[in-house]
Amino acid sequence: TNALEIENLVKTYGDGFEALKGINLNVAQGDFFALLGPNGAGKSTTLGIVCSLVNKTSGKVRVFGSDIDTHLSDAKLNLGVVPQEFNFNQFEKVFDIVTTQAGYYGIPLKKAAVSAEKYLRQLGLWDKRDSPARMLSGGMKRRLMIARALVHEPKLLILDEPTAGVDIELRRSMWTFLEEMNRRGTTIILTTHYLEEAEALCRNIAIIDHGEILKHTSKRDLLQQL
Ligand code: ADP
Ligand code: ADP
């Protein structure tokens, strides 16, 4: 089974705008995959549908073989998501934000605490565990989103423009962290409009524009054609 399979995915928004025109995409287990395209191409819409934050109009989506129409909770267990916007409660403490998320997956409190500590340490946030999220810098909030997405140890991590608005130093350390996660077996899919980011990190790339996949290729082949 692939980590992600998308077949003929169509999204027409309520105003009649066709944001996805029947896209197909396969991401193998263990891949580090970039969905690359300009603003407005349909990247967030695609990921939003995979994470069931956005309703699709038609098409099929499977996460590790689980169809999101019929086996959504199985799909969600395998999925960690880092959306673009900070969507945690700014007044909640950092540690609690991560353990609360674990609770949604039915992870017992003790285990949740161990996992939260592990990822907060790895992401350099352990010292901030008792701070309300609103006290964190933008880069720290970004890392908090990643810790929260990983607390249930998903097999697939999806990040929507993870380094948008992030300074170069943090971008590099996030890249290193993601490479290490991937090396240890987590499949990673990210969206980006930076070719350099896709180039630096990813093994396979799909280029999306105006709701259509233009190319689906290995990074090496893509770079040879540029
Ligand atoms: P859905 O079809 O998924 O229910 P809707 O078309 O109802 O989505 O829109 C969801 C929300 O996004 C609405 O509040 C709408 O105002 C807002 N929205 C509309 N146009 C855009 C746009 N171009 N970009 C982002 N959000 C938009
Ligand atoms: P990207 O992530 O590649 O920047 P999006 O998936 O956010 O692209 O948006 C794709 C297209 O769909 C854009 O033209 C955007 O304006 C439109 N769009 C996004 N959300 C909505 C919405 N809720 N309602 C109507 N149009 C939307």
Side-chain angles (χ1 to χ4, degrees), residues 8-192:
N8 260 316
L9 186 62
V10 174
K11 172 62 183 179
T12 308
Y13 279 106
D15 57 5
F17 179 77
E18 200 174 36
L20 297 178
K21 300 171 180 164
I23 67 166
N24 293 288
L25 206 60
N26 284 322
V27 178
Q29 290 192 36
D31 203 354
F32 201 139
F33 189 93
L35 188 57
L36 175 69
N39 283 322
K43 303 182 298 293
S44 296
T45 300
T46 304
L47 295 194
I49 291 168
V50 171
C51 309
S52 68
L53 299 169
V54 175
N55 292 320
K56 60 186 164 62
T57 302
S58 61
K60 285 276 164 209
V61 176
R62 286 182 291 271
V63 177
F64 282 90
S66 302
D67 189 314
I68 63 166
D69 292 327
T70 55
H71 294 81
L72 182 59
S73 53
D74 293 332
K76 281 190 165 178
L77 276 179
N78 285 322
L79 200 59
V81 185
V82 183
Q84 250 182 84
E85 295 83 27
F86 301 137
N87 60 356
F88 42 73
N89 175 354
Q90 299 273 348
F91 294 93
E92 203 176 356
K93 288 178 183 175
V94 166
F95 187 75
D96 297 343
I97 287 172
V98 180
T99 52
T100 300
Q101 180 77 10
Y104 298 143
Y105 296 97
I107 297 170
L109 209 60
K110 241 186 187 161
K111 207 173 157 205
V114 171
S115 181
E117 176 170 352
K118 172 171 133 188
Y119 288 110
L120 287 174
R121 282 189 189 281
Q122 284 183 19
L123 287 155
L125 290 172
W126 185 239
D127 290 348
K128 300 285 178 189
R129 62 189 176 278
D130 291 325
S131 303
R134 72 189 153 82
M135 305 296 284
L136 302 185
S137 70
M140 288 175 180
K141 287 177 183 173
R142 185 64 53 200
R143 283 178 278 150
L144 170 59
M145 301 274 286
I146 297 176
R148 187 185 61 174
L150 290 171
V151 71
H152 63 297
E153 315 261 2
K155 290 196 277 185
L156 173 60
L157 178 64
I158 292 189
L159 308 100
D160 197 3
E161 299 272 356
T163 63
V166 161
D167 67 47
I168 289 185
E169 202 177 329
L170 177 59
R171 181 174 301 169
R172 296 228 173 279
S173 75
M174 280 176 60
W175 286 1
T176 306
F177 176 81
L178 294 175
E179 279 169 334
E180 181 60 21
M181 288 295 304
N182 179 248
R183 212 183 50 76
R184 285 191 241 147
T186 307
T187 307
I188 299 181
I189 300 176
L190 58 80
T191 70
T192 185

Side-chain angles (χ1 to χ4, degrees), residues 183-215:
R183 212 183 50 76
R184 285 191 241 147
T186 307
T187 307
I188 299 181
I189 300 176
L190 58 80
T191 70
T192 185
H193 59 272
Y194 298 116
L195 178 61
E196 315 90 84
E197 182 156 83
E199 198 185 325
L201 282 175
C202 299
R203 215 165 295 129
N204 291 297
I205 295 177
I207 298 177
I208 183 169
D209 194 19
H210 290 96
E212 294 180 283
I213 301 283
L214 301 182
K215 226 177 200 19

